Amino acid sequence: MRSGPHFAWHRLAAMVVKEFIQMRRDRLTFAMMVGIPIIQLTLFGYAINADPRNLPTAVLSQDNSSFSRALVTALQTSTYFRVAAVAQDPEMLDRMLARGEVQFAVEIPTGFGRDLMRGDRPALLVMADATDPAATGNAAGALDRIVQSALTPLLDGPLAGLAQGQPPVDLRIQRRYNPEGLTQYNIVPGLMGTILTMTMIIMTALAVTRERERGTMENLLAMPVRPVEVMIGKLAPFILVGGIQVLVILTAATLLFHVPMVGDPLVLAAGLLVFIVANLAVGFLFSTVASNQLQAMQMSFFFFLPSILMSGFMFPFRGMPDWAQTIGEALPLTHVLRVVRGVMLKGNTMIDTWPDIWPMLAFLGAVSLLAVMRYRQTLD
Amino acid sequence: MTDAPAISVRGLTKRFGDKTVVDDFDLDVARGQIHGFLGPNGSGKTTTIRMLCGLLVPDGGSGSCLGRDILTEAWEIKRRVGYMTQRFSLYEDLTIRENLDFVARLYGLDRRREKVDRALDRLGLAKRSGQLAGTLSGGWKQRLALAACVLHEPELLLLDEPTAGVDPKARREFWDEIHTLAEGGMTVLVSTHYMDEAERCHRIAYLAYGKLLAVGTVAEVIAHSGLSTWHVSGPERRIGTLARDLASRPGVEMVAPFGATLHVSGSQAAALAEAIAPFRAEPGLTWSEAKPSLEDAFIHLMAEAPAQNGAPSR
Ligand SMILES: Nc1ncnc2c1ncn2[C@@H]1O[C@H](COP(=O)(O)OP(=O)(O)O)[C@@H](O)[C@H]1O
Ligand SMILES: [Mg+2]
């Protein structure tokens, strides 16, 4: 196989034209590729917009003043919180939160009323299970107001001075399990990365294994065409699909969820392009290993899971153990999340994003090389 | 390079697991010939053809196609060979024209449109060029596949059972086309199960259980089988019992009824003559010594070949 040019435009053109026509005919796949982001966004968007009330709350009150009683009542009447349990000690409070029995845990320290009247600004500790930030976000946001309105009526007469200036209570909200407190600003970019990972890898992996399953591979292999031409030809149409997905998600993100676009869309596009092609290359690599569509699907999920878990989409990146961070650094999703958040929310420039773009380029190069080497030019 | 034989291979061997599917296969095909490739299902025809065009790497042996080494110059071979697969392997979700366009682009043909148009015309597919290939019937698919693999004007055409399941008229036309191509200088290696097709070839090779059992012209292959054949005809009811009587006699190896005629064959002419002697005089039966048919020869060759289906050989 060593003679003749290693790359020819006419052969690449043949592959690209064929792949585009085939994709255009494959309406179902095409609809799915545009439909998936819309459905996902709607589902997530619903969760984001939802304003859950009556969140189960455990209270540990080590003080029996009118202030603490007023606080508990105010929590209840705000309708955000439902006092579901009364804890006897801090350990019990922790346990209930850890087990997910309650979403919030409120700890009123000893001497709360006394300290408050002295103007010592006692601490009021509210711990939130922030694994689902969408669920706790609104309630946590309302806490300030609730505490304020609970205490203000009691601060009259000699205590009227406390109602002015600094809040009389030191409200400490502790977001457990998710200190970054991901909000919709973070979820939409994250969703973009995960949707692209999922669809891009599966679609390319299937595109090649389908060729093998339908028997058309034999004809393709019998003709003089280089692996790299087959690979680029197969990937090209999906770059377009990826672009459409990005547009759909971005439109929804800005129109529905008002995610800002602080930075330059071109920088974002550059980062996303590298990311899309890197994922397509992974899909192509899988297709050179998988012998049927089912295996291709399984491999795609096998790659998808660590991507979701270790990229910082699911869990805060800095909170992961070192080994997980090392794996995460190798994954394109990790870097694209930073690029998207950086450009959209912080207005990062090309120079700022470069540290996250080159690892994706390196990943793309390594995977492509492997895929072209692995691509079998015989039926053996 | 053009005077190199179209195909010249020695000792080709292919194993799948511990099963030897093609065993020590030799073949020479001269330029411009139509070479038939026959053998029962699973005898290794497809595997052999795939090795010839670089789709499978042989486990042993060596050789060349069009003067190019099959082991090291597969790329050159692919450029100059047209391969029509046994199973339709063009794209069913592309139209007829799109399929041909794809092939033409891939080979980098100049005047692509013109060549595709000409191919469509010649095959009578011009009016249906916008139809999806997947909606074509078997016969039309074969024509399209042939059109696609001769588009780049290959010097060698490898056709793997191109007429399986095609009606007689379409088969006849297909073979006329093959002969036209051969007259234009193309060499053709074509596998088939049909005896009438075998007889339209210049030479044939017969493969069974991965072994080449006979090669040559039809007459040579028949002669090589060493078979003698007698035809006997008579009343229908007697023919049935006669078949049983004859089959059990030493010297008779094959008895095959063709309507009211029996073909009785054996490899020892003398023993066969002795075996049928008692029936020669029987009234109502007409005996005549006949030339064995190609089919007789094949069945005989296969029966003699050591059956090693599935068993590891050597
Ligand atoms: N890829 C393969 N893996 C394992 N066995 C195979 C493979 N391809 C063919 N075979 C076996 O090799 C034998 C010869 O097959 P084939 O060359 O297709 O015969 P033919 O074309 O003469 O019918 C068959 O027994 C078949 O099952
Ligand atoms: Mg076959």
Side-chain angles (χ1 to χ4, degrees):
Chain A
M1 281 292 184
R2 283 297 137 222
S3 50
H6 284 261
F7 178 84
W9 285 105
H10 66 85
R11 295 196 294 260
L12 177 60
M15 285 304 298
V16 171
V17 171
K18 155 184 135 22
E19 294 295 332
F20 265 103
I21 299 172
Q22 286 187 302
M23 195 180 68
R24 201 186 67 208
R25 299 252 157 80
D26 192 1
R27 295 258 166 76
L28 183 69
T29 306
F30 198 79
M32 259 173 50
M33 284 183 288
V34 179
I36 286 174
I38 295 178
I39 292 169
Q40 294 260 34
L41 269 175
T42 319
L43 290 177
F44 271 75
Y46 178 73
I48 294 164
N49 285 336
D51 189 14
R53 307 268 170 155
N54 294 318
L55 297 169
T57 304
V59 174
L60 168 63
S61 183
Q62 292 159 320
D63 175 78
N64 197 14
S65 67
S66 55
F67 294 105
S68 40
R69 283 195 300 273
L71 264 180
V72 175
T73 313
L75 288 176
Q76 191 86 308
T77 51
S78 73
T79 71
Y80 276 113
F81 304 92
R82 175 173 56 83
V83 178
V86 174
Q88 303 305 325
D89 50 59
E91 287 71 36
M92 188 176 166
L93 203 59
D94 277 347
R95 209 164 46 237
M96 284 193 286
L97 196 63
R99 287 183 185 162
E101 289 165 15
V102 294
Q103 188 100 36
F104 284 94
V106 178
E107 185 177 344
I108 304 175
T110 337
F112 179 81
R114 186 194 60 215
D115 292 353
L116 195 147
M117 285 193 286
R118 279 195 211 145
D120 280 354
R121 303 194 64 238
L124 175 63
L125 183 60
V126 179
M127 290 161 287
D129 175 355
T131 46
D132 183 2
T136 51
N138 280 346
L143 266 173
D144 250 333
R145 202 167 27 80
I146 295 168
V147 172
Q148 197 78 29
S149 61
L151 301 179
T152 311
L154 301 174
L155 300 174
D156 51 5
L159 298 175
L162 290 174
Q164 268 95 53
Q166 267 194 317
V169 170
D170 178 14
L171 177 63
R172 290 182 197 165
I173 302 177
Q174 212 181 68
R175 289 191 169 82
R176 293 255 174 118
Y177 321 119
N178 185 0
E180 282 185 7
L182 300 174
T183 66
Q184 68 198 55
Y185 286 6
N186 280 334
I187 284 179
V188 172
L191 213 50
M192 175 139 70
T194 45
I195 290 173
L196 285 174
T197 305
M198 189 75 183
T199 48
M200 294 293 99
I201 292 180
I202 290 186
M203 291 302 154
T204 20
L206 293 187
V208 186
T209 41
R210 195 180 303 140
E211 190 116 28
R212 206 167 290 134
E213 284 187 2
R214 289 185 186 169
T216 53
M217 201 56 161
E218 184 171 8
N219 196 40
L220 188 62
L221 288 177
M223 294 193 283
V225 58
R226 301 286 185 196
V228 66
E229 293 152 356
V230 174
M231 174 163 159
I232 301 177
K234 289 267 172 204
L235 305 195
F238 293 108
I239 295 179
L240 182 79
V241 172
I244 295 176
Q245 290 193 332
V246 167
L247 281 182
V248 170
I249 298 169
L250 279 184
T251 310
T254 44
L255 291 186
L256 294 175
F257 308 121
H258 312 293
V259 178
M261 178 61 141
V262 182
D264 184 352
L266 279 181
V267 177
L268 185 62
L272 286 172
L273 180 67
V274 177
F275 174 70
I276 287 171
V277 179
N279 279 305
L280 293 176
V282 172
F284 191 84
L285 174 64
F286 286 170
S287 73
T288 63
V289 183
S291 50
N292 54 50
Q293 299 201 19
L294 183 67
Q295 279 185 12
M297 288 287 264
Q298 287 170 334
M299 287 185 193
S300 304
F301 279 108
F302 202 73
F303 181 78
F304 186 60
L305 274 182
S307 285
I308 280 206
L309 295 176
M310 295 179 186
S311 61
F313 171 72
M314 209 75 141
F315 309 116
F317 197 78
R318 311 256 170 272
M320 299 191 307
D322 284 346
W323 62 266
Q325 289 198 24
T326 309
I327 297 177
E329 288 290 349
L331 298 169
L333 184 58
T334 308
H335 298 284
V336 89
L337 289 181
R338 297 180 191 159
V339 170
V340 176
R341 287 170 185 165
V343 174
M344 289 184 75
L345 307 177
K346 303 181 200 159
N348 281 356
T349 62
M350 194 68 206
I351 297 166
D352 299 326
T353 50
W354 179 246
D356 283 309
I357 289 190
W358 75 257
M360 291 196 284
L361 283 172
F363 180 91
L364 166 62
V367 170
S368 306
L369 193 68
L370 209 57
V372 168
M373 276 165 32
R374 281 252 7 157
Y375 180 82
R376 276 163 295 179
Q377 288 180 283
T378 63
L379 292 168
D380 284 277
Chain B
M1 222 32 121
T2 42
D3 45 331
I7 298 173
S8 175
V9 291
R10 291 288 171 276
L12 275 198
T13 301
K14 183 71 191 176
R15 294 182 202 93
F16 290 118
D18 58 0
K19 191 171 160 195
T20 304
V21 165
V22 176
D23 194 1
D24 201 13
F25 178 88
D26 298 342
L27 185 68
D28 287 288
V29 177
R31 293 263 180 171
Q33 290 221 320
I34 299 177
H35 204 104
F37 199 17
L38 289 100
N41 284 331
S43 57
K45 302 183 294 296
T46 301
T47 305
T48 304
I49 293 176
R50 285 174 173 166
M51 286 192 282
L52 293 176
C53 62
L55 279 182
L56 284 176
V57 182
D59 293 314
S62 61
S64 64
C65 268
L66 305 166
R68 301 290 186 160
D69 192 310
I70 59 166
L71 296 173
T72 57
E73 296 178 296
W75 178 263
E76 278 304 313
I77 293 174
K78 285 178 184 183
R79 275 166 32 107
R80 293 158 61 198
V81 167
Y83 170 40
M84 179 171 162
T85 54
Q86 180 169 354
R87 200 180 128 194
F88 184 72
S89 61
L90 289 171
Y91 297 97
E92 303 210 332
D93 50 350
L94 295 190
T95 66
I96 294 166
R97 178 183 290 281
E98 285 161 354
N99 267 302
L100 294 176
D101 267 338
F102 169 64
V103 173
R105 273 201 195 92
L106 205 71
Y107 284 100
L109 303 185
D110 54 342
R111 295 176 291 127
R112 188 183 84 239
R113 187 164 298 271
E114 191 185 317
K115 281 181 181 158
V116 169
D117 281 340
R118 194 139 34 90
L120 286 169
D121 276 339
R122 198 164 64 181
L123 286 146
L125 287 164
K127 283 208 203 78
R128 320 172 69 169
S129 68
Q131 194 177 331
L132 288 186
T135 63
L136 290 172
S137 67
W140 286 104
K141 276 186 180 163
Q142 316 280 66
R143 286 179 157 216
L144 171 59
L146 181 64
C149 70
V150 300
L151 206 56
H152 64 293
E153 293 163 6
E155 293 161 56
L156 170 63
L157 203 52
L158 303 172
L159 307 174
D160 197 0
E161 296 193 28
T163 54
V166 172
D167 68 62
K169 180 164 169 289
R171 267 186 349 147
R172 176 70 58 85
E173 287 164 4
F174 197 95
W175 271 86
D176 289 345
E177 177 72 17
I178 291 177
H179 273 272
T180 313
L181 291 168
E183 279 153 28
M186 230 177 253
T187 311
V188 183
L189 178 69
V190 50
S191 75
T192 178
H193 284 300
Y194 297 105
M195 293 305 137
D196 60 320
E197 293 185 354
E199 295 187 4
R200 292 192 71 170
C201 296
H202 296 120
R203 286 164 67 81
I204 55 174
Y206 186 75
L207 196 67
Y209 312 119
K211 287 205 167 59
L212 185 66
L213 297 185
V215 63
T217 62
V218 169
E220 283 167 356
V221 169
I222 292 172
H224 170 83
S225 72
L227 208 59
S228 307
T229 297
W230 286 81
H231 289 180
V232 54
S233 53
E236 266 168 53
R237 282 158 78 212
R238 176 59 186 134
I239 287 297
T241 52
L242 183 64
R244 245 171 293 130
D245 294 342
L246 285 169
S248 57
R249 294 189 67 85
V252 174
E253 286 161 27
M254 279 193 294
V255 181
F258 287 80
T261 305
L262 284 182
H263 292 195
V264 188
S265 313
S267 49
Q268 307 291 321
L272 182 66
E274 203 175 307
I276 64 171
F279 305 95
R280 291 288 301 273
E282 190 175 314
L285 296 182
T286 320
W287 289 87
S288 62
E289 190 157 16
K291 185 169 135 330
S293 71
L294 189 57
E295 192 166 69
D296 292 334
F298 285 156
I299 292 169
H300 174 68
L301 282 170
M302 196 170 72
E304 288 215 318
Q308 40 193 239
N309 262 335
S313 56
R314 298 196 176 174

